[in-house]
Amino acid sequence: MLTDDLTIKQLGVSFSLIIGGGIVVYLLTQQQKNTTRRQVLALKNEVLSLRSLLNESVKELTREIEVLRLSLKKDSNRDREGLYKHSSSTTLRSVESFTSACDVLQVEDRDTGDGLQFECGTSHFRHRQVESPPISVNGGDHVGKYPLDKLLNRADDLHLGNDEDREESLRLMQDHETLYDEESGFLWRLARTHVSVYDLRVSHEERHLHASSAVDCAQRALMLCTDSSDIYKWLAISLGAITDFLPTKQKIETGWTLRDHIDRAIELNEKDAILRYIRGRWFYGVCQLTWIERKLAATLFAKPPSAKIEQALEEFQTAEKLAPKTNKSNQFYLAKCEYEMGDVDAALEWLEKALDLPCTNKDDRDTHRECEAMLVRLQPRRR
């Protein structure tokens, strides 16, 4: 009987070992399967990510090829047909100006999303109508060209005008580019001109071409002169335009570089209202970054960009003090900041002020529509 009991106990121990061992083997097998499954899923995700990056790269390459094709075509047309030649009569307009004017009338409402949009448009400041240009004077051996000082003054006057004046400014500056392409004052103004017409274009390729040209001109100007606030300002603005065509990683990297140029420009000229508005837009854009975008920024920088809505508000307030009642977009962003901080009445007050300012160009018209839409949303919440 004792032997039977011992045998049963031994059998029990054996069964326990077998069952326990089986369970361990099963668990190990399951763990292995789960690990393998996770590895397969990780590989799948990596393949999908690489495929997405490849597709994005192909698209970017395709766009760049198309931009280059259009650029070569324009250069060829200009050489062959003498485009951008202008006389004292302002009635002479290129085909590009005509189509651009039509595009302005047909353009739809722009995307109002913020986040990574480091857009730095500056043409919201109130402009004045520019009179017809004087007859071109002789510049050395270049008959019909402006001397540099007269050209720069003329370009500054046209920049303060409406959309047509900016189109004319582009033609004027391009007509003198080969003559003054090593003058920093000319180059940053040429960058400014490209940015000015950038928003007037609807075609993706044309917008990309103007943004790229603006960056190139501003960078060349910086190589010639490193102590000009205007150069840093228009380089920052040009970089803001080019971010529309960059993938998220490059967009964040460019946004950080853009901030450095803004800060340097403000160091050189603290009284520039446009610069304070641009820095406000930068702060506001960083505040609107999504969680994913913040994580990505953290992997790119030891100290990722950060900002508070109060910082953006302060910059917009400073811009308003430096140039009161001149910038519709600045007042619109004052309204947005007040709304973000919970003061609906203050937001509505700024919206109403912005709507009172005149619309002289496409930027103003776009901002005006956004103000109207926001006013309709917030009006029922007025106290």
Side-chain angles (χ1 to χ4, degrees):
M1 189 69 178
L2 181 59
T3 305
D4 291 341
D5 287 341
L6 287 172
T7 302
I8 290 170
K9 285 179 180 178
Q10 288 171 348
L11 287 171
V13 170
S14 299
F15 283 136
S16 297
L17 288 172
I18 292 169
I19 293 169
I23 291 171
V24 170
V25 171
Y26 173 77
L27 290 174
L28 288 172
T29 304
Q30 287 298 110
Q31 186 176 0
Q32 232 173 2
K33 284 182 179 178
N34 289 337
T35 302
T36 304
R37 189 178 293 113
R38 283 195 296 270
Q39 288 173 339
V40 170
L41 286 173
L43 284 171
K44 276 186 178 180
N45 288 335
E46 190 172 349
V47 169
L48 288 173
S49 177
L50 287 171
R51 184 182 297 171
S52 175
L53 286 173
L54 179 61
N55 289 337
E56 192 171 313
S57 297
V58 170
K59 288 179 182 177
E60 286 296 316
L61 183 59
T62 303
R63 289 193 191 114
E64 288 177 9
I65 291 172
E66 180 63 17
V67 168
L68 182 58
R69 185 186 68 78
L70 286 173
S71 179
L72 291 172
K73 182 179 178 182
K74 284 184 178 180
D75 288 342
S76 176
N77 287 339
R78 183 166 59 180
D79 291 339
R80 187 169 59 249
E81 299 173 12
L83 286 179
Y84 301 114
K85 294 292 182 180
H86 59 84
S87 66
S88 60
S89 172
T90 57
T91 59
L92 183 58
R93 300 291 179 181
S94 67
V95 173
E96 183 186 1
S97 296
F98 178 78
T99 54
S100 174
C102 294
D103 290 340
V104 170
L105 296 175
Q106 296 171 359
V107 69
E108 296 179 357
D109 289 352
R110 63 183 171 181
D111 181 10
T112 57
D114 292 294
L116 284 170
Q117 299 301 315
F118 293 108
E119 175 186 291
C120 298
T122 61
S123 55
H124 306 279
F125 284 80
R126 184 176 294 173
H127 310 298
R128 59 185 176 77
Q129 184 67 33
V130 179
E131 296 178 357
S132 300
I135 297 175
S136 298
V137 296
N138 295 342
D141 295 331
H142 301 270
V143 179
K145 302 292 185 181
Y146 280 82
L148 182 60
D149 58 340
K150 291 184 181 295
L151 174 66
L152 300 187
N153 289 335
R154 180 65 187 149
D156 291 341
D157 286 341
L158 289 170
H159 179 68
L160 297 174
N162 56 26
D163 295 340
E164 281 192 354
D165 292 318
R166 293 178 179 214
E167 293 284 2
E168 183 178 338
S169 179
L170 176 64
R171 293 193 297 277
L172 179 66
M173 297 296 279
Q174 286 181 325
D175 197 34
H176 290 75
E177 188 170 0
T178 56
L179 186 59
Y180 300 124
D181 63 349
E182 293 192 4
E183 296 285 347
S184 61
F186 173 85
L187 286 170
W188 74 253
R189 285 175 174 84
L190 181 56
R192 179 181 67 182
T193 303
H194 279 293
V195 172
S196 295
V197 300
Y198 163 82
D199 278 333
L200 300 179
R201 302 295 185 260
V202 176
S203 162
H204 180 279
E205 291 76 15
E206 281 193 286
R207 287 167 64 83
H208 193 181
L209 179 60
H210 283 297
S212 301
S213 299
V215 172
D216 176 64
C217 292
Q219 288 175 336
R220 285 159 56 200
L222 186 60
M223 290 175 66
L224 296 168
C225 177
T226 59
D227 59 358
S228 167
S229 174
D230 287 314
I231 292 175
Y232 285 103
K233 173 169 69 175
W234 287 100
L235 178 53
I237 294 171
S238 301
L239 289 172
I242 202 65
T243 57
D244 284 347
F245 308 96
L246 300 178
T248 301
K249 178 182 175 182
Q250 285 180 266
K251 188 175 290 190
I252 294 174
E253 291 172 337
T254 303
W256 195 249
T257 304
L258 185 155
R259 168 67 191 280
D260 289 340
H261 291 320
I262 297 170
D263 289 346
R264 177 61 177 148
I266 291 176
E267 284 178 16
L268 293 167
N269 184 3
E270 295 181 351
K271 301 299 183 181
D272 191 322
I274 295 176
L275 288 171
R276 307 313 287 258
Y277 164 70
I278 296 171
R279 190 155 70 178
R281 288 292 300 270
W282 191 92
F283 284 135
Y284 189 89
V286 171
C287 288
Q288 303 304 310
L289 290 177
T290 65
W291 180 83
I292 293 175
E293 290 163 347
R294 290 179 189 278
K295 287 293 181 184
L296 178 57
T299 65
L300 296 176
F301 306 102
K303 183 182 178 183
S306 62
K308 296 179 180 179
I309 199 69
E310 289 83 2
Q311 290 175 290
L313 178 64
E314 183 179 352
E315 293 297 327
F316 294 135
Q317 287 174 335
T318 302
E320 190 65 25
K321 288 177 183 176
L322 291 171
K325 300 178 182 179
T326 57
N327 188 346
K328 186 183 287 283
S329 185
N330 190 69
Q331 294 188 345
F332 174 55
Y333 273 88
L334 278 166
K336 295 181 80 166
C337 287
E338 294 289 5
Y339 173 71
E340 292 276 350
M341 296 174 66
D343 194 338
V344 176
D345 287 346
L348 286 167
E349 185 178 343
W350 280 117
L351 287 172
E352 289 165 352
K353 288 180 179 179
L355 289 170
D356 285 340
L357 293 180
C359 294
T360 58
N361 54 53
K362 180 179 178 294
D363 293 321
D364 287 340
R365 292 190 290 273
D366 290 338
T367 302
H368 197 87
R369 285 195 295 268
E370 292 183 59
C371 288
E372 288 176 329
M374 188 173 179
L375 187 68
V376 170
R377 290 198 309 272
L378 299 187
Q379 196 70 262
R381 301 172 57 180
R382 187 191 291 272
R383 282 188 292 234

